[in-house]
Amino acid sequence: YAKGHTVMIGFTGPLSGPAAQYGRDNVNGLEMGIQDINAAGGITVGGKNYKFALKTYDDHIDPTAAVNNARRLRSRDGARFIFNPVFNTIAPMMQINQQKGSEFLMMAYTSAPEVDAMKNPNTIAIPPPFSVYVGSYVKYALEKGWKKCAMVVTLGAYGDGWRKEFESAWIKAGGEIVADQPANYYTETDFSAQLSAALAKKPDFMLIGGPSATTGLVIEQARNLGFKGEFFMVDQAKLNYIAEVNFNNDLTKMNGVTGTARPRDLAEEEVIEPFLKRCLKDYGRSATSENLLNYGAIRILAAAMEKAGTVEDITAIKAAIPEVLPMDAKINLLPFIDLWGSRFILPGTIQKIENGQYTVPTTTFWWTKSDADFKKAVSSIPDIGNTNVNVPLEGYAK
Amino acid sequence: MLKLEQVYTDIGELHIIHNVSLNIQKGEFVTLLGSNGAGKTTLFRTIAGVLKPAFGTVEFNGIAIDKLPVHKIVDLGIVLCPQGRQLFPELSVKKNLVMGAFSLRGQKSKIKKNLDRVYEHFPILKERSNQLAGTFSGGEQQMLAIGRALMSEPSMLLLDEPSMGLAPLIVKQIADVISNINHEMDTTIFLSEQNANMALNITERGYVLESGKCVLEGLCKDLKNDENVKRAYIGA
Amino acid sequence: MLKVESVTKKFSGLVAVKDLSFEIAKGQIVAIIGPNGAGKSTAFNLITGTLKPTWGKVTINGHDITGMQPYRIVTRGVARTFQTTSLFDQLRVIDNLMIAYKWRTKLGFWNTLLHLPSWKRYQERAFARSIEVLEFLGLTAKANNFIPTLSQEEQKRLAIGVAIVSKPQLLLLDEPTGGLIQDETDRITELIRKIRDEQGITVCIIEHKMQMIMGLADRIVVLNYGEKIAEGSPEEIKVNPDVIEAYLGGELNA
Amino acid sequence: MFTKPIHTKLLLGFLFIAALFLPLYVPDSYMFQIVITSLLFAIATSSMNLILGYTGQASLAHGAFFGVGAYVVAIMTKAGWSFWIALPVSGLVATGIGFFIGLFAFRTRGHFFAIVTLCFGVILFQVAENWIEVTGGQNGIFGLDSATPIPFPFFGPIEFSSQPAQYYLVLAVLLLTLFVLHRVVYSIFGLTFMAIRNNEELADALGINTFATKMVSFAIANFIAAIAGGIYATILGAVSPSAISIMITFNFLIFLILGGMATLPGAVIGAFMIPIIMEFLQFMENYRMLFFGALLVVVIIWFPMGFFGGLKTINQKIIAWRQSNTSEDSNA
Amino acid sequence: MELFLQQLFNGIMFGSTYAIVALGLTLVMGILHIPNFAHGHLYMLGGYITYFFITNLGFGYWYSLLLSMVILGFVGVVMERIVFRPLTGQPPINAFIAAIGALIFLESLALVIWGPQGMRIPNPHPQIIKMFGITMEAQRLLVVGGAAVLIVLLHLFLKKTTTGTTIEAVAQNREGAMLTGINVNRVSSMTFFISSATAAVAASFLSPIFILSPAMGAVLGMKAFIIVILGGMGSVPGAILGGYFLGLIEALGGGYISAEYKDVFAFGALILVLSIKPTGLFGKQEG
Ligand SMILES: Nc1ncnc2c1ncn2[C@@H]1O[C@H](COP(=O)(O)OP(=O)(O)OP(=O)(O)O)[C@@H](O)[C@H]1O
Ligand SMILES: Nc1ncnc2c1ncn2[C@@H]1O[C@H](COP(=O)(O)OP(=O)(O)OP(=O)(O)O)[C@@H](O)[C@H]1O
Ligand SMILES: [Mg+2]
Ligand SMILES: [Mg+2]
């Protein structure tokens, strides 16, 4: 592409080290989004046609490297939209994304609520905050009449957040945390020590999770140690992925596991099926929500640029986003609803495996505060055959 | 048997041995005199192949050995009994000796025979054959080192300062054993010493090394009467 | 001045020094001899604090120094050399000497950082004393040489020089002429005598060279299997039958 | 005793002036960022040089002290303290922790010392990860302000939010560090460090309290490392456990060894050279680390003394060659 | 009590892994005096090689294990030859840097070849066994038993065969060994072979119950390194004891006191041991 007719999208994130797969999944989503934008002829702004291009750098979750990469993306590659999927590297990048003359839009793929608290105008967080799922899990557990919960969640910012959030919600709901045995899902592969300790307390259910493959191991090891109860997984772990890698798609081995819904059940069949096939073909992997969400985010950005009539003024582009949402499901797959401060509004969807089968997922409209709100939201999104619930997120204000 | 021609050896940047040529016949008992730091050890290590000469040739029985690795040279029959003994401190005396016969690996009866002979020369080694070598006193360690060197039946034995730091009584004992080995087993021996008194008394011929250069050579009885040697090495 | 009282040192199972007592009077040259492994070096290590005695007592000028750290014992005026020549071979000759003088100064982080007057004074004092010792050793020309460029004899002289630069009262020498040929040995012997006579330092020496010891020492202590088997003047030791049997082997001319 | 030849002085003067005017010539904020972080790493690497290069004690906790500095500054400035108070405090805290660690670690030597310090480094890392109330756990502490402005009569306050201001701040601290290290290393006081590296037993026998001397060297090194970490915190505006991880130590170690251990310029050169090479290799994408790993092996085999050590050797060879040439000339 | 037994068993299983990995490393460190920090990454590579044979070529578990042993053994030999041998005589810190280079290389290599996602070897012995109130997979028993067998075999090899003695001899005095006619370079290669082959065994034992990933060697490598130092560098009994010691501390400390600070107990205990015995459990006294 001739210079001046390209919109450069930047990415910095873990492409080596323990979290490399996660970083890759993000990049893959962006790549597919950009392919589709360009295949549709790019965008037209101010009479000029623009195509999109992607530049990726590895920062192996090192903040120094992330900042260097961001600087490089901004000043060398001319990227004004920089994606990053880890809170630890997002935080320092948010320190420099408002510097005069080198502003960029921080596209933060993180469910950590801390990003929202920083109120950085040049930031957009992509996935729903993980607290969304906490509410659904608590509600479900209460319905089942469970009391004792054991947690074996990954160590790390993200895992810490999950544990804290779930613990307070569960205790408030009258439950009890009988064991809290976090483990490093990135470096450890044997959890019998943590699990034995947790199971000794005879929990009704367990909150587990971190990277998918390791989470699968935890399920397997817990079952082998004789645990009969159910599992809730944090949103990082993916049901379909665990089924594939850990259990050779034998879903009976995953009975009683609840997690975020598999991509297939997040969108209407006719739009999601081709996407899933494409992932498998292009990347040899089943689709993950990182693929879907980043794909959606980049397509929204493209639309917002056209709407705002600029490819450079990030403030205007961000301001145009609510105007282009919600988008046609054919373009965007997922029901992105709106911007809420610095975060996309997107329903949270969970799903359980029972009798060797995926059950109908449950969607949470976490941003709705009243029944009226809720009804409006339900009608505003395409029908994907889910049961819908309303668990408004406390303290989640615009 | 052993022939060095114009050998130069460097250690790192330093030139240690300069233009040394010498020739030793089968069965001879020759000494190399030189003060501390003259380069005796360096020369011996060059012959044994631990160091490679920067220039010059080393021949053994007509074979050029200056480019061979140490273990090949040992297989040819040259064994160095090094300064500082270089024993295996955590192995028993017996295992140390057996390791000495490494080049005879497989030949069990021969190893047994050599072991008996070493025990004959040094009865103390037999007495303490299960003790760890590292717990020996200096003199005992020196005996073990010589014993180990003998285990592979070398045709040529290089002894680097076997008397260093030893008490007079032990020096005398060791000198006797070395002479015996030379006489009885017909092993060619090249002995480096700064203890000229002892060396010139037991050997037949000698070279004098100073600052890496060979400054003098001759029969021991002549060397003993050389004014310079007398002053520097023997004393009043 | 030095008094060793019934000192014993055991290494797991082995008694290296057993109930050893002797004394060294000011201005003497005392030699310790004995077969290999008799415990001579161990005795030195016990005096200088490198090893702690299993029991027994070491005093210097009446002060108990048993079990003190080596660097503290140095400050009580006891210096030593090691059996294998030991120098800072990555450093220059002059640096070796100045390091050895350091404990006599109050050079610390702050006065070094700020170049306080005291820093200058001490630094100069150390330099001056080092130069003085170099002259005494006859090594002035080598002041800026690195150690590996020195000959063995020069290294041995320097090792002794390093030990005396801080003006100790007692100098312990462990085989200072080991591996040297006769005329080098003679020169070191001369140096040791000069140290006693000109620097006024009492000397205790371990050696295997009988000729040299008999000429140099005022008194000789003989060890065997960690025990003292004889003590006396060279003339007495030469004819002592125990010593002849254990050590000399009937021959003096080794 | 310790004076430098005139051409070295000229070169240093030139470098100093070049450094002063550098901000005028940096092409973009990316290059500038790399220069600033390299200067910062040069401070930390130089301090590691003191304990490892000059004193011979391979402290693998060095990165941890860098991290301690970063955390202390982050915690204190978040709590409202001035950066200029927090920074020296961070140095003191690191020195204090270092003293405690030293009590254990200096009982051991060589590899054993390296491992004990490594273990302490890991422990500090885990504390940073898990003591959530204080350190913010994995998220760390973020949204830090840049260094508190210094009020300055007439010109108004000096701010530290721009890259040039950060550059001068880091440059000044680096120069100060090099000044301190220079004074220490070229003195009898510093010679005792090298004496311990060279032969600890002999140093002990010459009246040097080796334990105390090592401790002092450790303290100076840790203090400076923490200062570097503290500045790192304000420049990045965020601190997370990666600032205290063992990888930081390994990075400094690589900078130091490849730059040239036990030389003052070596540490600085290494801290500049390696990050720049790493950035340059970005075009290799997936194969970058593969190449870098191999490069590391090759370089250490070919330049065992590091880059500056290699330069020194070449320089010495040239001198020797010149001398031999002139002597041949005079013979002729 | 049941929990205690369960944790004890877990500890022994961790310990078995640590012991065999550390055993391989201690041989190398004892012989060559090089801190081979990349040992854990050899272990990782061993796991992938086994994976390759089982998954891509469809070989049986035990055949794959054997092949993996041999191949990784040769990888070790090559590594010794091109990375460490040229550094003989350099200060250990240089070899340490070279090892870091090697580990970066190996990890990136695995990343390039197999990609970043975790992979699984099908568990050849998935049966669940219950004993004394402990529940475990059969494969875990195999790890414990296999490690014990391997340790005994290695011990016999070192102590009872001439070849084993040459390894000890080279470790104790390299030049002395050379002078008795031992081809020291061959012994180095052989030691590296054995060391890497044991790492491959450990990886093959464990990968059916764990997950393979390019980064999996880093932590284990570091722990093995620490164990080797703790046990006294080059000491075989030290490595074994140190391995089980660390495994038990982790399991019991992690299970009973605090999972977050599990490593703190382990490393803290190591620090304590080393400050009481500064040259490691079986280390030689200095002096
Ligand atoms: N590894 C080394 N590095 C630098 N110099 C060395 C090295 N080995 C020996 N030298 C130097 O080489 C010279 C000759 O040493 P060599 O050991 O050969 O002498 P020698 O005659 O055997 O003395 P000795 O009586 O001590 O055994 C000495 O000046 C010594 O300093
Ligand atoms: N650190 C130690 N651990 C165990 N045993 C030791 C230790 N140091 C010395 N020994 C033993 O103590 C005994 C006395 O040793 P020492 O070095 O004092 O002998 P020496 O009289 O100096 O002999 P030489 O004349 O050979 O130097 C020897 O048997 C020696 O093996
Ligand atoms: Mg010699
Ligand atoms: Mg001795």
Side-chain angles (χ1 to χ4, degrees), chain E residues 48 59 64 70 86 99 141 149 164 186-187 202 208 261:
Chain E
Y48 272 107
F59 284 33
S64 304
V70 174
L141 265 189
V149 170
R186 250 192 57 205
V187 174
Y261 288 101

Side-chain angles (χ1 to χ4, degrees), chain C residues 9 13 31 48 56 58 61 74 84 116 130 172 185 191 215 233 239 248:
Chain C
K9 178 69 190 176
T48 58
V58 183
N61 294 332
V74 181
T84 45
L116 296 179
S130 301
L172 306 175
T185 305
L191 180 70
S233 68
V239 295
L248 298 176

Side-chain angles (χ1 to χ4, degrees), chain E residues 49-130:
Chain E
I49 296 173
T50 310
Y51 169 87
F52 174 76
F53 281 112
I54 294 182
T55 314
N56 298 48
L57 301 184
F59 284 33
Y61 176 69
W62 290 101
Y63 286 117
S64 304
L65 186 148
L66 274 179
L67 282 168
S68 177
M69 262 177 85
V70 174
I71 293 174
L72 197 71
F74 281 110
V75 172
V77 171
V78 170
M79 182 156 125
E80 190 268 334
R81 189 70 194 78
I82 63 180
V83 178
F84 293 120
R85 197 176 298 171
L87 287 169
T88 329
Q90 303 288 351
I93 200 89
N94 283 20
F96 188 76
I97 297 287
I100 292 180
L103 76 84
I104 293 176
F105 180 85
L106 291 177
E107 187 171 326
S108 321
L109 188 72
L111 195 67
V112 167
I113 300 180
W114 286 286
Q117 80 263 42
M119 300 214 256
R120 218 33 224 285
I121 293 178
N123 191 339
H125 310 100
Q127 306 83 346
I128 307 288
I129 295 174
K130 284 190 199 250

Side-chain angles (χ1 to χ4, degrees), chain B residues 45 71 86 88 90 95 102, chain E residues 159 172-173 175 181 183:
Chain B
R45 284 157 62 91
H71 60 100
Q86 316 278 20
F88 309 123
E90 314 270 294
K95 274 195 174 172
F102 184 78
Chain E
K159 292 289 166 197
Q172 287 170 26
N173 193 324
E175 183 162 338
N183 184 344

Side-chain angles (χ1 to χ4, degrees), chain C residues 41 83 174-175:
Chain C
S41 298
Q83 185 160 353
D174 198 346
E175 295 198 38

Side-chain angles (χ1 to χ4, degrees), chain C residues 92-95 127 134 139-146 149, chain D residues 1:
Chain C
R92 298 173 309 167
V93 168
I94 186 83
D95 298 338
F127 187 69
L134 278 179
L139 290 174
T140 316
K142 309 268 170 135
N144 284 316
N145 281 33
F146 281 91
T149 65
Chain D
M1 278 173 268

